[in-house]
Amino acid sequence: MTLLYTCKHCGTEIGKLRPQMLDLEKIGWNVLSTEEKNKLMNYQQNQTVTLQSICEDCQHLLDQNPQYHELDYFIQ
Ligand SMILES: [Zn+2]
């Protein structure tokens, strides 16, 4: 399987993981949403599972502009 991390704000591909074994701590299992956990639990062999995260650019932007966090919630 391939884990594909994309930024939920700008859609940038952050990184790919092809774990031989699924290390739940390494992929950030604790911070995944229930929906993402379900996707992982139901993955097929050779399937790409997309996980949403935040890229460095957006993280930096949010750090500089804390009010964007509120905007993000508003959009969702
Ligand atoms: Zn981003």
Side-chain angles (χ1 to χ4, degrees):
M1 77 185 291
T2 302
L3 296 177
L4 176 66
Y5 288 85
T6 62
C7 176
K8 65 179 174 183
H9 295 284
C10 66
T12 295
E13 184 181 316
I14 301 168
K16 269 184 198 166
L17 270 183
R18 292 186 61 88
Q20 297 300 314
M21 281 177 58
L22 202 52
D23 187 331
L24 298 181
E25 270 183 40
K26 235 178 238 174
I27 64 170
W29 183 258
N30 295 336
V31 298
L32 294 180
S33 67
T34 304
E35 187 191 347
E36 288 172 328
K37 285 180 181 175
N38 286 337
K39 265 195 271 180
L40 275 174
M41 296 309 284
N42 296 315
Y43 81 93
Q44 305 293 316
Q45 196 69 29
N46 299 324
Q47 186 181 344
T48 297
V49 179
T50 305
L51 301 175
Q52 295 203 317
S53 189
I54 184 168
C55 71
E56 281 182 22
D57 288 346
C58 289
Q59 184 61 60
H60 186 68
L61 204 65
L62 288 173
D63 287 345
Q64 299 296 315
N65 305 278
Q67 72 272 21
Y68 281 15
H69 277 296
E70 295 169 26
L71 202 64
D72 189 38
Y73 285 124
F74 185 71
I75 292 170
Q76 285 177 346

